[in-house]
Amino acid sequence: MAFISILFVRAIMCPVGAIVDCWSESFLVLLIKETMPRDRFISIMQHLRFDDRDTRAERVKTDKFAAISDIWTRFNENCAKSFTPGEHMTIDEQLFPTKVRCPFTQYIATKPDKFGIKFWMATDLDTKYVCSASPYLGKDPSRQKGERLAENVVMKLMEPFLDDGRNVTTDNFFTSLSLSHRLLQRKTTLLGTVNKVRRELPQLAKDTAKREVFSTSVLRSGSVSLTIYAPKKNKTVCVLSSMHQDVTIGDGRKRKPNTITDYNHMKCGVDVLDQMARMYSVRSATRRWSVAVFYNMLDLAAVNAYILYKACTGWTGKRRLFLRLLAQQLRCRFMQHKEILAQRQAAAGAVPGTVKTTQCQVQESCNRNRSRFTCATCKKFTCAKCRDDGHWVCKRCKV
């Protein structure tokens, strides 16, 4: 825990530069130096593992995430058990920036950081709490033949939260008519933009020419509606919704329908969460992808802890102050243990002649017992049987 506390202190005090700079004279962070020596921290970092290395080769055959899958599964379970999300949830992707070599590193040109490990995330809209997360590992052999990847991801992430009347907001990668029907069967509605390359879209939705600016068209299939809105010339936005019974047009100049305004309000859950996590991140340079995933897990756990702490205590302080309190609590037991050891060493040092254990040189009442203390008078090694009661003086000198 003290090791993790150092990571959080660095995130809020000196996030730029090498982590070993926190012990240097130029960039010294006193809280880190008091917690642990630099060499001890580096040793822990070098030997940091999250599974049994001897059995990893066998587990990797069926699980690409085997190096950290156990702790990641427990993290997901704790996130789901500790918080009950509200009525609205958001599902989107997160790219954790790293250039480590692993089979599932992604390159996404539209992201600020082009390379990284991609995670699918489901968050609560109001609090930005991470309810569920899953890494993208490439082709999933457990996925049924013919099932779209996007639908499989949404159903897996939402599995603990279905059948409770919630709504899910997604982007055009996930949204489809078949997904909305599957969610409706589990008492869950869907709201999201639709990619125009979908075969299920009618030709009316794909045609953008000769459409009046700020015009709206609504198509319906059962309880699912498709809103086609033209925000500018030769451009349309298609929003699929099973949440809205009626589509109403706003009174503003752009005459936006309520499906568009609701989507604009609900789509930002994962994006805001990722921004919060990156603001005070424990991320540092590493060559092991499991450590990079561990850094991302700590960032997400810190955001969740902040949300839970505010909900339980009513605290209104800044997140940076919370992270400092969290770091102090994480290192509290370690510092107490460290203080006890220092007191014991000081007490041992107060006894005259404290050295390594050796054979008793007095041997008045023992049979070659071992001792690490010397007589205060003759300086010979004296065991407990051969010393005077109450004073560290051998029986020969006492006489």
Side-chain angles (χ1 to χ4, degrees):
M1 292 300 180
F3 171 80
I4 296 177
S5 73
I6 290 178
L7 295 178
F8 282 130
V9 172
R10 174 184 175 270
I12 60 178
M13 299 294 291
C14 53
V16 180
I19 195 168
V20 294
D21 289 343
C22 299
W23 286 269
S24 66
E25 295 182 358
S26 301
F27 305 98
L28 177 64
V29 179
L30 190 60
L31 193 63
I32 292 179
K33 187 176 181 179
E34 291 176 352
T35 304
M36 188 181 297
R38 182 197 61 183
D39 292 344
R40 173 60 176 163
F41 179 87
I42 294 175
S43 176
I44 294 176
M45 180 63 71
Q46 291 175 344
H47 298 88
L48 188 62
R49 298 294 183 275
F50 310 98
D51 69 329
D52 187 357
R53 194 173 183 179
D54 297 333
T55 62
R56 184 185 302 170
E58 185 66 25
R59 290 182 286 112
V60 165
K61 296 178 182 178
T62 57
D63 183 12
K64 296 180 183 179
F65 213 55
I68 198 174
S69 60
D70 181 47
I71 189 173
W72 181 266
T73 301
R74 283 187 283 174
F75 168 70
N76 257 334
E77 292 174 353
N78 289 336
C79 288
K81 291 178 182 177
S82 303
F83 184 80
T84 302
E87 181 181 357
H88 300 286
M89 297 182 64
T90 305
I91 291 181
D92 204 348
E93 66 180 14
Q94 179 220 28
L95 187 72
F96 183 76
T98 180
K99 291 187 178 181
V100 295
R101 297 181 63 181
C102 72
F104 40 86
T105 301
Q106 295 287 302
Y107 172 77
I108 302 179
T110 57
K111 297 289 185 180
D113 299 288
K114 311 299 182 183
F115 294 91
I117 300 176
K118 185 163 70 173
F119 295 87
W120 310 114
M121 290 195 177
T123 62
D124 177 58
L125 175 64
D126 295 332
T127 60
K128 311 305 182 288
Y129 181 91
V130 183
C131 301
S132 182
S134 175
Y136 175 68
L137 307 177
K139 186 177 180 180
D140 185 5
S142 64
R143 179 158 56 96
Q144 297 180 0
K145 186 177 181 180
E147 184 184 20
R148 292 179 60 245
L149 170 64
E151 292 186 19
N152 179 266
V153 169
V154 172
M155 297 306 295
K156 280 187 176 180
L157 292 177
M158 288 297 299
E159 182 60 34
F161 314 106
L162 296 174
D163 302 316
D164 288 328
R166 291 188 173 91
N167 176 74
V168 185
T169 304
T170 59
D171 62 10
N172 58 11
F173 176 79
F174 300 96
T175 310
S176 65
L177 185 62
S178 57
L179 175 61
S180 65
H181 289 159
R182 291 181 64 178
L183 289 173
L184 281 175
Q185 294 175 0
R186 301 294 301 272
K187 300 179 182 178
T188 305
T189 57
L190 176 68
L191 175 65
T193 54
V194 185
N195 197 326
K196 294 186 179 63
V197 300
R198 299 273 187 225
R199 296 180 181 179
E200 60 202 32
L201 281 182
Q203 190 61 35
L204 175 64
K206 300 179 181 180
D207 293 337
T208 59
K210 298 181 181 180
R211 184 178 288 274
E212 184 184 351
V213 179
F214 304 144
S215 63
T216 301
S217 301
V218 180
L219 305 178
R220 184 169 291 276
S221 174
S223 56
V224 181
S225 64
L226 177 67
T227 305
I228 308 168
Y229 175 70
K232 59 179 68 174
K233 187 178 180 180
N234 296 330
K235 179 178 175 62
T236 58
V237 177
C238 299
V239 174
L240 189 75
S241 174
S242 58
M243 181 182 73
H244 298 84
Q245 299 296 328
D246 299 313
V247 178
T248 59
I249 308 300
D251 299 329
R253 181 181 64 87
K254 296 185 178 181
R255 304 195 302 272
K256 288 185 179 181
N258 58 342
T259 50
I260 296 291
T261 55
D262 289 345
Y263 173 76
N264 290 339
H265 172 68
M266 299 176 185
K267 68 179 181 180
C268 60
V270 176
D271 295 333
V272 175
L273 163 71
D274 191 41
Q275 183 181 9
M276 293 172 64
R278 295 291 82 79
M279 183 176 295
Y280 303 112
S281 176
V282 302
R283 178 169 64 99
S284 183
T286 180
R287 294 182 179 180
R288 289 180 289 157
W289 66 264
S290 58
V291 177
V293 173
F294 178 66
Y295 287 153
N296 190 32
M297 185 167 57
L298 288 181
D299 291 341
L300 299 177
V303 174
N304 281 4
Y306 175 65
I307 294 169
L308 292 175
Y309 187 74
K310 289 198 304 180
C312 296
T313 64
W315 194 64
T316 57
K318 295 183 178 180
R319 193 161 68 93
R320 188 180 184 187
L321 297 178
F322 168 78
L323 290 177
R324 181 178 175 85
L325 293 176
L326 178 63
Q328 290 177 346
Q329 290 296 320
L330 287 174
R331 78 183 193 122
C332 180
R333 181 173 295 184
F334 176 79
M335 296 303 293
Q336 291 176 354
H337 181 67
K338 188 176 179 180
E339 185 178 355
I340 291 174
L341 289 179
Q343 291 175 356
R344 289 178 179 177
Q345 291 176 358
V351 178
T354 304
V355 294
K356 295 183 178 180
T357 59
T358 187
Q359 183 176 307
C360 179
Q361 296 176 334
V362 179
Q363 296 185 13
E364 287 287 332
S365 305
C366 70
N367 184 18
R368 298 181 179 180
N369 287 358
R370 299 192 68 81
S371 174
R372 59 191 180 94
F373 303 114
T374 57
C375 173
T377 304
C378 65
K379 307 301 181 182
K380 292 183 177 180
F381 288 98
T382 309
C383 69
K385 288 186 177 181
C386 299
R387 73 177 178 87
D388 178 30
D389 296 335
H391 303 280
W392 210 274
V393 179
C394 66
K395 292 183 179 180
R396 292 179 184 177
C397 296
K398 180 183 178 182
V399 176

